[in-house]
Amino acid sequence: MPRHIACMTFDFDALSLPIAKGTLTPTPLSRGEFGLVGVERIRRLLKVHRIAATFFVPGHTIESFPDAVRALVDDGHEIACHGWTHRRPSALSREEERDELVRAGAAIERISGRAPSGYRSPSWDLSEHTLDLLLELGYAYDSSLMGHDHLPYRPRRGDAVPLLKPATFGAPVDLIEIPVSWSLDDYPHFEWSVTSGGALNQGLASWRAVLDNWTADFDYMAATHDWGVITYTFHPFVSGRGHRMMAMEALIRHLRDGGAGFATMDEVAAEAADRLGTAPA
C-alpha cells in the first residue's frame, strides 16, 4: 500500500531569534514574543485535528517560557533540539557548538522527560562539526539539509568541494536526514524582514497562493512515490497570524483528504532507518 507522510514541524524561536540577530529594541522583541500567541493557536488547531507534531525549540525558549513548552509536551508533541541560542553553528567553534547541544538537550530532557532524538540547525546551516557532534551525543536524525524533497537519506561527512577541481564525496553516517526546503517554510513567503547584510525579504504573500504551492508539492509526491515524506516548517510568530492559521488548517484538510498520514519526525526517522538499513561502517 502507498504511504505518504506529512510532517508538521514548528520552529518555536520566540525571543531567541531577535536576540541572536542583535535586534534588541522593543519592536523586534515583541515580534518574537508574538510566538507565544501563535504557538497556543497552533496547539489548539493540532488538538482539534488530533495531529502529533514536532516542535524544534531552542533551549532559550524552553527556559524563558516553560509553561508554553510544557503544554506541547502534555499534548504529546515531540520536542526536538534547535540549539540553545539561535546562533548559526557555522559561526561557532566546535566547543561552542557542543556546549549549545548539551545545554539544549538537558533543557529538553528536563521539560519532556526524554532526551531529544532529532536536531534542526538554526538557519539550516550546519558546520563541519555538526554531524560528528550529533553522532557523539546520540541523535537519530537531523532536519537541516535539502538533498531531496520527499525521501529521507543518510547525510555524508568528508565531502570536498574545491573551486577548480571536481567534488569528491565522503561516506554516509549513521543518522537519518529528513530534508527540508525553503519553499515549504512559512518564513520566506510571509515575513517582511531585512537581513544583516541589508537584503530585503519582501514576504507578505497571499496565503492562498502559498497554499497552492504547498498542496501541489504533496500531490506531486503522492503521484510519483509509493512511500514519501513531506516536511512543512512553520514558525509560530509567522503562521500564528489569523490568515496564516487559515492556510494551515486548509493544508491539513487537503493532506488528510489526499490520504496523508501525519507523523512526528522521530517516528519518520525510525521508519526511514528500517527502509535504508544500517549505514556503512
Side-chain angles (χ1 to χ4, degrees), residues 54-63 69-70 73 77-84 100-120 139 141:
T54 298
F55 286 78
F56 293 91
V57 189
H60 183 276
T61 301
I62 295 171
E63 296 188 16
V69 180
R70 195 171 293 112
V73 173
H77 299 298
E78 177 190 4
I79 307 299
C81 184
H82 200 39
W84 198 90
E100 285 261 324
L101 290 169
V102 170
R103 186 177 179 187
I108 291 170
E109 189 164 6
R110 282 194 301 271
I111 203 158
S112 70
R114 55 171 290 190
S117 64
Y119 174 72
R120 173 172 287 165
Y139 280 81
Y141 74 86

Side-chain angles (χ1 to χ4, degrees), residues 138-204:
Y139 280 81
Y141 74 86
D142 172 68
S143 183
S144 310
L145 302 179
M146 304 183 184
H148 207 284
D149 47 2
H150 301 134
L151 297 179
Y153 60 93
R154 294 197 182 278
R156 297 183 304 269
R157 63 181 167 192
D159 290 0
V161 286
L163 178 62
L164 298 177
K165 296 180 181 180
T168 57
F169 302 103
V173 301
D174 197 18
L175 285 168
I176 300 297
E177 183 62 42
I178 307 176
V180 291
S181 168
W182 286 115
S183 65
L184 297 176
D185 184 307
D186 60 355
Y187 191 98
H189 294 298
F190 291 136
E191 276 302 297
W192 187 98
S193 62
V194 179
T195 69
S196 57
L200 174 66
N201 179 63
Q202 181 65 45
L204 308 182

Side-chain angles (χ1 to χ4, degrees), residues 4 6-10 41-53 55 77 207 211 214-215 218-219 230 232 234 239 244-262:
H4 303 119
C7 287
M8 306 291 283
T9 73
F10 300 87
R41 292 174 177 173
I42 290 164
R43 187 187 68 81
R44 292 199 304 262
L45 178 66
L46 295 173
K47 194 165 190 174
V48 166
H49 288 278
R50 299 180 182 179
I51 292 171
F55 286 78
H77 299 298
W207 70 266
L211 178 64
W214 288 348
T215 56
F218 172 78
D219 293 345
I230 190 166
Y232 297 97
F234 305 94
S239 283
R244 298 165 192 168
M245 290 297 300
M246 294 174 67
M248 196 183 305
E249 181 155 26
L251 174 64
I252 289 170
R253 293 186 184 280
H254 181 93
L255 295 172
R256 187 152 273 158
D257 290 346
F262 292 90

